[in-house]
């Protein structure tokens, strides 16, 4: 049994870029800023491609929702090894997890994948909700925050390991299934120049939320985005007595 895998790719401000808040505090500056694939989604793409290379999956389809620039992110996924891509194009800013999950549900109904793999969260909003909401909408089992995955050929079961406060938890679920990835699941590959060139010829199917019958307008309003307070300078002390005295001054003890 060869599986079809649907994998998500969100376009976010690159993790190495220092994020700046807009002067009106309505969000963060994204104009003229380097954008990249969400790091957790890189793990999702890598795992999907590994499943195909291992003969477990027959096809990997990449998905992204957002403005036209998201096609660059999808091209990265295609260069990493995805076979084709679906872009749900919208200029709506800050599309929220419920709307993304509803769009994914429509794509799942059309594509009929056996496995949907997402990053556990995006580094821009840190919601960590889309995979769980999608699982509920589809009525599929879910294994979230994966740090290890076992999916054998010709098996309808998937086993996943996830890190919890008390150690490691191992779960088993039946296909079809929704999976979300942690960074420890794998090390994403770099796209080679030949594969980047090949990716330019791979198909990207462009749709709109209206085509899917989904309203992606935000239902929650961001009132204010503020930078964290600057860290105050520390103070050196000569001995334990001075340390205790300083802590007593600020009411720490």
């Amino acid at each position: 049994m060869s599986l079809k895998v649907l994998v998500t790719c969100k376009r976010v401000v690159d993790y190495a870029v220092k994020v700046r808040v807009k002067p009106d505090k309505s969000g963060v500056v994204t104009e003229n800023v380097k954008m990249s694939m969400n790091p957790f989604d890189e793990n999702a793409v890598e795992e999907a491609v590994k499943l195909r290379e291992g003969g477990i999956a027959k096809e990997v389809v990449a998905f992204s929702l957002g403005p036209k620039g998201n096609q660059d992110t999808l091209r990265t996924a295609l260069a990493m090894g995805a076979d084709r891509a679906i872009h749900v194009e919208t200029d709506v800013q800050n599309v929220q997890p419920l709307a993304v999950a509803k769009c994914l549900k429509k794509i799942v109904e059309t594509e009929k994948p056996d496995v949907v793999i997402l990053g556990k969260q995006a580094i821009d909003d840190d919601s960590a909700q889309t995979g769980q909401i999608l699982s509920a909408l589809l009525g599929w089992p879910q294994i979230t925050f994966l740090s290890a995955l076992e999916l054998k050929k010709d098996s309808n079961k998937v086993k996943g390991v996830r890190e919890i406060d008390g150690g490691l938890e191992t779960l088993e679920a039946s296909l079809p299934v929704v999976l979300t990835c942690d960074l420890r699941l794998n090390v994403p590959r770099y796209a080679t120049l030949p594969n980047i060139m090949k990716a330019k010829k791979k198909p990207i199917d462009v749709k709109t939320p209206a085509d899917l019958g989904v309203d992606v307008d935000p239902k929650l309003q961001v009132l204010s985005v503020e930078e964290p307070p600057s860290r105050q300078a520390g103070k050196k002390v000569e001995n334990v007595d001075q340390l205790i005295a300083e802590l007593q001054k600020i009411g720490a003890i």
Side-chain angles (χ1 to χ4, degrees):
M1 178 177 65
S2 294
L3 310 177
K4 177 188 279 192
V5 180
L6 179 67
V7 61
T8 59
C9 310
K10 187 175 184 180
R11 185 171 183 255
V12 298
V13 175
D14 188 87
Y15 73 92
V17 171
K18 179 175 172 55
V19 175
R20 293 180 293 116
V21 175
K22 292 180 179 179
D24 63 0
K25 297 185 178 181
S26 63
V28 299
V29 176
T30 57
E31 293 78 14
N32 301 315
V33 172
K34 181 182 178 183
M35 307 292 284
S36 302
M37 187 188 302
N38 177 47
F40 294 98
D41 289 337
E42 289 181 343
N43 294 99
V45 173
E46 174 66 25
E47 198 65 21
V49 173
K50 284 171 62 178
L51 290 175
R52 198 201 57 219
E53 291 174 342
I56 297 170
K58 63 182 178 182
E59 185 179 30
V60 175
V61 182
F63 166 91
S64 189
L65 187 152
K68 191 171 184 179
N70 282 41
Q71 292 193 19
D72 294 336
T73 303
L74 287 171
R75 292 292 177 196
T76 300
L78 294 170
M80 289 176 68
D83 299 294
R84 57 187 176 89
I86 298 171
H87 178 208
V88 178
E89 186 174 345
T90 177
D91 290 325
V92 174
Q93 298 294 316
N94 302 319
V95 179
Q96 291 162 357
L98 178 59
V100 178
K102 286 181 177 179
C103 288
L104 272 168
K105 178 176 182 287
K106 294 294 185 180
I107 298 298
V108 167
E109 290 171 351
T110 303
E111 292 290 329
K112 294 179 171 51
D114 303 283
V115 181
V116 181
I117 309 180
L118 310 89
K120 73 169 186 177
Q121 67 193 78
I123 62 171
D124 52 1
D125 59 16
D126 280 330
S127 293
Q129 296 175 355
T130 305
Q132 293 89 325
I133 295 173
L134 177 63
S135 170
L137 292 175
L138 292 171
W140 289 10
Q142 59 177 307
I143 304 178
T144 58
F145 303 174
L146 282 172
S147 59
L149 176 67
E150 180 182 324
L151 181 55
K152 295 180 180 179
K153 197 171 184 179
D154 299 324
S155 173
N156 68 340
K157 298 283 188 181
V158 57
K159 186 180 293 185
V161 178
R162 58 199 303 269
E163 296 179 1
I164 59 174
D165 290 342
L168 299 177
E169 181 180 49
T170 301
L171 300 175
E172 185 177 75
S174 300
L175 299 178
V177 67
V178 175
L179 307 173
T180 73
C181 302
D182 202 348
L183 294 177
R184 291 180 180 82
L185 180 60
N186 55 49
V187 178
R189 70 193 67 191
Y190 289 102
T192 62
L193 182 58
N195 286 337
I196 291 172
M197 300 306 294
K198 291 177 184 176
K200 294 181 178 180
K201 298 180 180 179
K202 292 183 179 180
I204 296 180
D205 183 14
V206 180
K207 301 178 184 293
T208 66
D211 295 336
L212 304 177
V214 177
D215 175 15
V216 297
D217 289 334
K219 302 299 185 287
L220 301 175
Q221 180 184 359
V222 176
L223 300 180
S224 177
V225 176
E226 300 181 17
E227 293 189 19
S230 299
R231 183 177 177 180
Q232 295 181 353
K235 185 176 181 179
K236 290 185 178 181
V237 295
E238 297 296 330
N239 51 52
V240 175
D241 292 337
Q242 286 187 11
L243 174 61
I244 293 173
E246 291 296 330
L247 291 175
Q248 287 175 336
K249 283 181 183 179
I250 62 175
I253 58 174

